[in-house]
Amino acid sequence: MVKVNDTCIGCGACTAVCPDVFDLNDEGKAFNTLGEDVSADLMDSVKEAAESCPVEAIEL
């Protein structure tokens, strides 16, 4: 499961690190474009994006 919680500040770090999974919505907040299920081959990038998040908004 990969989720962006309400603490997201919309900095875009996750979209820069892992654009295959993360994007910003109309409100400028990040979301998982693939839904909660992310394939195993993308998880290294997802973990890197989570580590880059300054407010730890990405839940794995």
Side-chain angles (χ1 to χ4, degrees):
M1 177 179 111
V2 177
K3 179 182 174 187
V4 180
N5 66 34
D6 292 338
T7 62
C8 176
I9 59 172
C11 73
C14 61
T15 62
V17 172
C18 189
D20 291 333
V21 176
F22 299 103
D23 200 357
L24 298 179
N25 63 20
D26 292 339
E27 298 172 354
K29 304 291 183 170
F31 69 100
N32 175 350
T33 62
L34 303 178
E36 292 187 5
D37 294 325
V38 175
S39 63
D41 62 319
L42 292 172
M43 284 307 293
D44 285 341
S45 293
V46 169
K47 289 176 184 176
E48 186 178 343
E51 292 170 2
S52 73
C53 180
V55 295
E56 299 178 354
I58 300 171
E59 300 176 11
L60 305 178

